[in-house]
Amino acid sequence: MAYRMYIDECGTDDIISCHLEPHRHLALTGVIISHEAGAAHANPGLADLKHKHFPQQDPDAPPVVLHRSDFLGGKGPFQCLQDQNRLTSFCDDLHTYLASLTHTVITVVIDKHAMLKKEHWLLKEPYHYCAEVLVEKFVQFLERADSTGDVWAESRKNGKNKALQRHFMQACEKGTRYVADPARIAARLSSFEIEFREKKHNCTGLQIADIYAKPSMDRILFPRIQGYGVSDFSARFGQLLVDHKYDRSATGWLSGYGMKFLP
């Protein structure tokens, strides 16, 4: 059984303003879905969910693509969710869909301001660093599952895809801090190339990663930051992650598995 990890971020890789609390953290979330579960459940299940709540009359219209901030804000094709009852119904069905879907989630959160105080991190790019740790955790997951996998990520602009691909390739070829032997990485990743997709491509795994990105970051940060606010949506879906979806050790330990906070 082969797996694919879909990556999306919450926050930015900006380090100029990282001393300001709203810009201090960056989180990357990876959603791991087996090819079998994707074909049998993830893709048709999400299509059914969209058809129920956002039926399209024009057969040639572009597909509705779920984006957390848009559907919670009732924007664009989600204007019907400005009705609180319809929003509640949609979130209930979304929760049911994700709860029943077999998948595993890993989130890496980095405190960029604290990172810059670490001498050995001065030359690190926050997004690249988080992605390296996330893929390291993915390789360890694949070793426990005795399987292989590849990586897809949300496309970014201004040459960032190429820069990430270069760093990803270097990490795979040289090894990482906790997977130092590159042979271990080569044995588990079927490709050292990241596949990038835009929202218009309607990728199920990336839409799930987008849904989880903010709730997962909130779930990791709120115990660490006094007065940290968490929306009802984040609290509900963050609890789903803790209860069932985060990667975990054989004894149920989440820290260092599904939840990683740095430094």
Side-chain angles (χ1 to χ4, degrees):
M1 183 183 297
Y3 292 86
R4 179 161 292 153
M5 182 170 68
Y6 303 88
I7 300 175
D8 201 3
E9 81 270 12
C10 187
T12 72
D13 55 5
D14 168 49
I15 59 174
I16 303 299
S17 305
C18 68
H19 61 289
L20 302 175
E21 199 60 42
H23 307 286
R24 183 162 181 160
H25 299 96
L26 170 69
L28 258 62
T29 290
V31 175
I32 303 169
I33 305 175
S34 71
H35 294 346
E36 180 182 10
H41 304 291
N43 296 345
L46 192 64
D48 289 345
L49 179 68
K50 292 178 185 179
H51 181 72
K52 175 180 178 180
H53 292 275
F54 317 110
Q56 293 178 282
Q57 303 302 319
D58 185 350
D60 295 319
V64 172
V65 178
L66 295 185
H67 183 47
R68 180 193 54 82
S69 62
D70 285 347
F71 67 68
L72 289 180
K75 301 175 183 177
F78 309 108
Q79 290 184 12
C80 63
L81 299 187
Q82 292 177 10
D83 181 312
Q84 187 59 47
N85 290 331
R86 296 187 68 171
L87 176 60
T88 298
S89 176
F90 169 71
C91 288
D92 287 347
D93 286 347
L94 178 62
H95 189 277
T96 298
Y97 162 71
L98 291 175
S100 64
L101 178 66
T102 300
H103 62 288
T104 302
V105 176
I106 303 171
T107 293
V108 178
V109 178
I110 190 166
D111 182 336
K112 295 179 289 180
H113 186 56
M115 179 189 80
L116 293 178
K117 297 179 182 179
K118 303 290 184 179
E119 183 176 350
H120 64 288
W121 280 347
L122 285 179
L123 299 179
K124 293 287 187 179
E125 200 279 348
Y127 192 105
H128 294 175
Y129 187 81
C130 283
E132 181 178 320
V133 174
L134 190 61
V135 172
E136 179 180 78
K137 296 300 176 187
F138 182 41
V139 169
Q140 292 171 334
F141 166 88
L142 292 171
E143 288 179 331
R144 298 195 307 272
D146 191 20
S147 189
T148 60
D150 59 4
V151 178
W152 285 28
E154 179 84 10
S155 181
R156 301 190 299 158
K157 299 178 180 178
N158 302 323
K160 292 184 177 182
N161 289 350
K162 291 182 178 179
L164 175 60
Q165 180 58 66
R166 286 195 300 269
H167 182 83
F168 179 77
M169 183 76 72
Q170 291 172 0
C172 290
E173 292 176 345
K174 295 180 180 180
T176 66
R177 182 176 182 183
Y178 292 107
V179 185
D181 183 357
R184 289 175 60 190
I185 299 176
R188 297 302 171 182
L189 293 185
S190 58
S191 174
F192 288 177
E193 295 284 340
I194 299 175
E195 288 287 338
F196 294 97
R197 293 291 186 272
E198 300 177 25
K199 292 191 185 301
K200 67 181 180 181
H201 292 132
N202 192 31
C203 174
T204 295
L206 289 177
Q207 289 171 82
I208 295 173
D210 175 274
I211 291 165
Y212 278 139
K214 175 64 170 164
S216 192
M217 183 177 78
D218 288 346
R219 187 64 183 79
I220 292 173
L221 289 181
F222 90 81
R224 292 176 166 87
I225 301 176
Q226 186 174 5
Y228 189 87
V230 177
S231 69
D232 291 343
F233 182 89
S234 271
R236 184 181 188 188
F237 285 81
Q239 193 62 47
L240 174 63
L241 290 170
V242 170
D243 290 343
H244 303 292
K245 303 305 179 183
Y246 275 137
D247 191 24
R248 61 198 70 215
S249 71
T251 57
W253 190 253
L254 300 180
S255 181
Y257 288 83
M259 306 168 74
K260 183 72 174 179
F261 180 77
L262 299 163

